[in-house]
Amino acid sequence: MWSKVSTNSSNSRKLCCNVTLVLSLLFLVILPSSSLAQELYKLIEQKAPANSFVGAYFVDVDGTVLVEYNAHKLFTPASLTKIFTTLLAWEVLGPDFKYTTTFYIPVGSTRPVIKGNLVIKANGDPSMSVDILRQNLKKFKDDGYTRIEGNIVVDNSFFSTERWGIGWEWDYKNPYIDALVLREYVTSFSANDKNAMALFYGGQVKQILTSYGIEVTGQVIVGKLTSGYTEYISIKSAPLKSLVDVANKFSSNSYAEQIFRTVGLRLYNLGSTQNSIRAMDNFVKRLFGESYSYRIVDGCGLSTYNLLTPYMVTQALVYAYKNHGGLDGFISTLALGGKEGTMEKRLGDIFVRAKTGTLQGVSNIAGIMRTKTGRLIAFCIMVNNFTAPTYTVMAYHDEIIRYVWNNY
């Protein structure tokens, strides 16, 4: 009897210890929290650049908040804006969307002479280049055409005539926005010349045709496609996912801005600033509600009018992770630490995909990382209004990120 009671008591004590251990482990997993959060607060505050304004938000993709520091305050996001632009396009256009650039000739044209205009119309392909044009325009020569008795007409009517974004600095090399652009020349023109890129684009087409021995008797003009024309060449871009890769990994302002305008074109039939902002506003309200304060007025983040919170940026990434393919979907368009784009020389010792954002006095980073224990953490650190060298602020970001990687 005694032996039996003793065994039961021993088992009870073991069970109690096991339960305590399990609860302790659960506490560590579910509530990382007070000690980790306190240490992160200290790190954020004590290492912050002098007189700067700092915000941070770290959350496990399962919903556990690790730290929030000025997380609902508004900051200048710089190129973190691209996360919203490209995520919006991912939903509206889809990752398999392709841009189309079309060359039209008069119906009934017969070799060797095209009697009438050559019309070019496109919907904003940011990846078009002179080399791509050259490869495709060879078709005129291969088909036996030697002469075009008319003008080269560039139809850029899918986009509005707003060539720069709202709030862009005049002394920066801003990308020129139009329905037809050549990626090598996007920073070569003034926004005051509304058809500079279109005319240059048409001029490049004319030069290429001439190099193939095809005479063009007319001029390069801006106009519209009319009836009586048929499609002759159709050039498709790479899928949107590949273009978003460029926008996010290499922080291409031109790609992001062209994509932003394309969303406005798709939803409201004109690629204008206001149509694109309208699309963004509806998207943000769907994610964060009617009253959450923010402002986005361009697609690339050059505008100093843009305002976002660390919470917004982080939750947008969590949304993308959960709704668009996990780490292999939208999140894969962010640069891989130590290997790609703007992250090539940063955080190569851990797994992280991130987007950076930099302007004068602005240095931000946001992304998703896998911690040492395998947890997936979405995060955003925003630092505004500093005078220290930007590289020191980037080191500050990285120290915070590594601390979370190592301690959660």
Side-chain angles (χ1 to χ4, degrees):
M1 179 68 70
W2 174 254
S3 177
K4 187 175 181 181
V5 170
S6 177
T7 301
N8 286 343
S9 298
S10 175
N11 288 340
S12 296
R13 284 193 298 272
K14 287 180 181 178
L15 179 60
C16 182
C17 289
N18 288 338
V19 169
T20 302
L21 177 61
V22 169
L23 288 174
S24 297
L25 290 173
L26 283 173
F27 180 80
L28 288 173
V29 172
I30 297 173
L31 303 171
S33 50
S34 56
S35 61
L36 177 61
Q38 287 171 7
E39 290 303 315
L40 280 170
Y41 263 81
K42 287 180 185 177
L43 181 58
I44 291 168
E45 291 184 334
Q46 292 175 4
K47 296 292 186 73
N51 301 316
S52 62
F53 182 44
V54 177
Y57 189 76
F58 283 71
V59 62
D60 192 309
V61 295
D62 71 3
T64 304
V65 177
L66 278 63
V67 69
E68 47 185 323
Y69 185 92
N70 288 332
H72 297 282
K73 299 292 186 181
L74 291 165
F75 292 78
T76 300
S79 284
L80 296 192
T81 306
K82 292 183 177 78
I83 292 172
F84 284 81
T85 300
T86 54
L87 183 55
L88 170 63
W90 200 275
E91 294 212 334
V92 172
L93 304 173
D96 297 323
F97 167 83
K98 295 180 179 181
Y99 284 91
T100 305
T101 301
T102 308
F103 291 75
Y104 297 88
I105 60 176
V107 172
S109 295
T110 57
R111 305 174 187 87
V113 178
I114 294 173
K115 295 184 178 181
N117 297 328
L118 170 63
V119 183
I120 315 164
K121 188 167 187 175
N123 60 345
D125 183 1
S127 65
M128 182 56 71
S129 69
V130 174
D131 282 344
I132 293 172
L133 289 177
R134 185 176 291 110
Q135 292 165 19
N136 284 272
L137 291 175
K138 190 173 181 291
K139 178 176 170 60
F140 284 93
K141 178 182 178 180
D142 293 342
D143 286 351
Y145 286 108
T146 60
R147 183 178 172 88
I148 298 173
E149 294 182 347
N151 296 319
I152 293 179
V153 180
V154 183
D155 184 346
N156 58 355
S157 60
F158 276 141
F159 280 17
S160 68
T161 59
E162 304 151 299
R163 302 303 179 214
W164 282 4
I166 297 171
W168 287 6
E169 296 180 358
W170 66 269
D171 57 347
Y172 190 83
K173 284 193 172 182
N174 298 312
Y176 192 94
I177 309 161
D178 204 349
L180 297 96
V181 296
L182 294 170
R183 68 185 185 214
E184 309 99 312
Y185 299 99
V186 291
T187 60
S188 300
F189 305 102
S190 167
N192 295 324
D193 192 341
K194 302 301 183 185
N195 289 316
M197 176 63 85
L199 293 172
F200 180 79
Y201 192 115
Q204 291 297 302
V205 169
K206 187 174 182 178
Q207 285 184 30
I208 292 167
L209 292 173
T210 300
S211 73
Y212 286 137
I214 299 163
E215 180 186 5
V216 180
T217 64
Q219 306 298 314
V220 175
I221 63 173
V222 173
K224 287 190 176 183
L225 178 66
T226 59
S227 61
Y229 284 81
T230 187
E231 180 181 306
Y232 180 63
I233 298 173
S234 179
I235 306 173
K236 296 288 187 180
S237 73
L240 182 73
K241 182 186 183 301
S242 297
L243 307 183
V244 171
D245 272 348
V246 176
N248 285 339
K249 289 177 180 174
F250 299 94
S251 207
S252 170
N253 294 325
S254 177
Y255 275 57
E257 208 60 45
Q258 293 289 123
I259 290 169
F260 190 49
R261 294 291 182 90
T262 307
V263 170
L265 173 64
R266 168 62 68 87
L267 292 177
Y268 307 114
N269 301 314
L270 179 65
S272 70
T273 298
Q274 290 308 314
N275 283 344
S276 301
I277 291 173
R278 178 183 173 190
M280 180 63 74
D281 194 45
N282 290 334
F283 176 63
V284 170
K285 285 179 178 177
R286 180 160 59 84
L287 265 59
F288 298 99
E290 292 285 333
S291 59
Y292 198 90
S293 183
Y294 87 102
R295 183 165 62 223
I296 293 177
V297 298
D298 72 356
C300 64
L302 285 174
S303 178
T304 55
Y305 298 170
N306 293 333
L307 293 169
L308 295 174
T309 71
Y311 171 84
M312 283 184 73
V313 178
T314 308
Q315 290 298 341
L317 292 172
V318 172
Y319 172 85
Y321 172 80
K322 291 183 175 180
N323 292 277
H324 294 292
L327 293 176
D328 298 322
F330 177 85
I331 298 301
S332 72
T333 70
L334 306 180
L336 186 61
K339 294 185 178 180
E340 295 176 321
T342 59
M343 291 296 294
E344 184 178 6
K345 296 181 179 180
R346 297 181 66 179
L347 298 170
D349 53 331
I350 68 177
F351 175 84
V352 59
R353 287 198 174 274
K355 180 78 196 73
T356 59
T358 308
L359 289 171
Q360 185 66 38
V362 174
S363 182
N364 308 319
I365 187 170
I368 289 186
M369 67 170 158
R370 183 183 289 117
T371 68
K372 189 166 65 174
T373 59
R375 306 305 296 266
L376 288 177
I377 307 300
F379 65 88
C380 177
I381 306 170
M382 304 179 83
V383 185
N384 286 190
N385 304 333
F386 59 86
T387 57
T390 300
Y391 72 86
T392 64
V393 183
M394 293 164 62
Y396 169 66
H397 297 159
D398 294 355
E399 184 176 358
I400 297 168
I401 292 165
R402 280 199 180 92
Y403 186 86
V404 174
W405 175 84
N406 198 46
N407 290 280
Y408 181 67

